[in-house]
């Protein structure tokens, strides 16, 4: 168990809908990262938050947004969902914002039908 | 832009054998980090080993070791005395020193046969 909690584990929804994925980092970790793993594009970095502030953006679509709350949990919001958004979405956390080891949650499997 | 290439889509070996997974990367950076992650069927992403580019000494973690060749931009993973529990997808990943985003290879599916 990495100590990073992601909910829900599975999510099935329809095109055009909006969903929210939740991540609770390890106790004491200030950084949260979101990654997408899809069959087409492999693993891609989406976004990084550190202590409530956005630090870096990767290949995140404009239909996607994220935030980190004062209690350090993070949410990834996906809207106007398309079939191609079906993927495994990982959250990872680390103590600070450097090159420490990342600890990954078990992911949320999103299926858009 | 940085890229990571894993040229072996799938490998299989017998239990207790030694296996080496290949990874090459492309970067113009001088300071960076390299990682091997394991993703078993449970889908959990687990860090196997980490190498800092400025360190010449190859990293080791129990049965896992790397052969880091900076000039050749090569970062292979050696698994000794392989075990059934090593069956998983293995991903090589790159992180620039000033930018904490992992850039991933496509993965190698490793099957350990009894």
């Amino acid at each position: 168990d990495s100590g990073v909690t992601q909910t829900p584990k599975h999510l099935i929804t329809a095109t055009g809908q909006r969903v929210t994925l939740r991540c609770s980092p390890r106790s004491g970790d200030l950084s949260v990262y979101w990654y997408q793993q899809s069959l087409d594009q492999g693993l891609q970095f989406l976004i990084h938050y550190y202590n409530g502030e956005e630090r870096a953006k990767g290949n995140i679509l404009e239909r996607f947004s994220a935030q980190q709350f004062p209690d350090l949990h993070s949410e990834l919001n996906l809207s106007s969902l398309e079939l191609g958004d079906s993927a495994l979405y990982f959250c990872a956390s680390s103590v600070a914002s450097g090159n420490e080891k990342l600890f990954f949650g078990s992911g949320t499997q999103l299926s858009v039908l | 832009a940085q890229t990571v290439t894993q040229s072996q889509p799938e490998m299989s070996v017998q239990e207790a054998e030694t296996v080496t997974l290949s990874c090459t990367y492309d970067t113009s950076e001088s300071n960076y980090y390299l990682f091997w992650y394991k993703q078993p069927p449970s889908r959990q992403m687990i860090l196997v080993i980490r190498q800092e580019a400025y360190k010449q000494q190859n990293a080791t973690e129990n049965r896992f070791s790397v052969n880091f060749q900076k000039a050749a931009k090569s970062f292979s993973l050696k698994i000794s005395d392989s075990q059934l529990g090593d069956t998983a997808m293995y991903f090589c990943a790159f992180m620039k020193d000033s930018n904490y985003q992992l850039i991933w290879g496509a993965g190698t599916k490793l099957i350990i046969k009894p």
Side-chain angles (χ1 to χ4, degrees):
Chain A
D1 184 7
S2 67
V4 179
T5 303
Q6 287 190 250
T7 56
K9 292 193 182 304
H10 297 91
L11 198 49
I12 301 174
T13 188
T15 55
Q17 295 298 304
R18 172 189 169 95
V19 297
T20 297
L21 313 184
R22 183 188 169 99
C23 170
S24 294
R26 291 187 323 153
S27 177
D29 283 1
L30 300 177
S31 269
V32 170
Y33 307 77
W34 286 96
Y35 285 86
Q36 178 196 60
Q37 184 177 25
S38 67
L39 291 175
D40 291 345
Q41 301 189 41
L43 278 152
Q44 292 193 97
F45 167 75
L46 295 179
I47 200 163
H48 169 212
Y49 278 86
Y50 174 73
N51 203 21
E53 293 187 3
E54 181 186 302
R55 281 296 177 93
K57 265 186 176 180
N59 297 323
I60 188 166
L61 301 172
E62 286 190 9
R63 300 183 285 109
F64 295 2
S65 65
Q67 54 183 330
Q68 186 180 26
F69 294 86
D71 67 353
L72 301 177
H73 91 272
S74 177
E75 293 182 355
L76 180 66
N77 299 296
L78 315 177
S79 61
S80 302
L81 286 167
E82 302 176 359
L83 296 177
D85 297 328
S86 295
L88 182 59
Y89 290 85
F90 281 110
C91 165
S93 74
S94 66
V95 171
S97 189
N99 289 301
E100 303 83 8
K101 297 177 183 179
L102 298 188
F103 294 86
F104 282 78
S106 56
T108 293
Q109 181 67 56
L110 174 66
S111 299
V112 182
L113 305 178
Chain B
Q2 289 76 31
T3 59
V4 177
T5 302
Q6 294 178 249
S7 58
Q8 305 149 313
E10 185 169 324
M11 297 183 71
S12 66
V13 297
Q14 295 293 136
E15 192 176 8
E17 289 183 347
T18 293
V19 59
T20 299
L21 308 184
S22 300
C23 173
T24 58
Y25 57 95
D26 187 25
T27 185
S28 58
E29 301 289 326
S30 56
N31 295 323
Y32 51 88
Y33 297 78
L34 295 163
F35 304 81
W36 279 98
Y37 279 89
K38 167 185 176 180
Q39 187 178 36
S42 66
R43 304 179 316 179
Q44 180 78 45
M45 196 66 79
I46 302 164
L47 176 65
V48 175
I49 202 163
R50 174 176 176 266
Q51 175 79 42
E52 296 156 335
Y54 63 85
K55 288 187 177 179
Q56 291 189 335
Q57 186 173 7
N58 289 324
T60 62
E61 288 285 346
N62 301 313
R63 298 183 296 108
F64 299 87
S65 62
V66 298
N67 183 3
F68 174 49
Q69 302 289 326
K70 190 172 184 179
K73 296 180 182 173
S74 170
F75 183 61
S76 61
L77 174 69
K78 185 172 84 171
I79 305 174
S80 303
D81 185 28
S82 57
Q83 301 174 0
L84 297 178
D86 295 334
T87 292
M89 282 290 290
Y90 286 81
F91 292 95
C92 178
F94 170 99
M95 181 189 285
K96 206 164 57 172
D97 190 20
S98 57
N99 162 333
Y100 313 118
Q101 307 171 23
L102 285 168
I103 306 224
W104 302 82
T108 295
K109 184 177 182 179
L110 176 64
I111 299 169
I112 308 299
K113 297 181 287 187

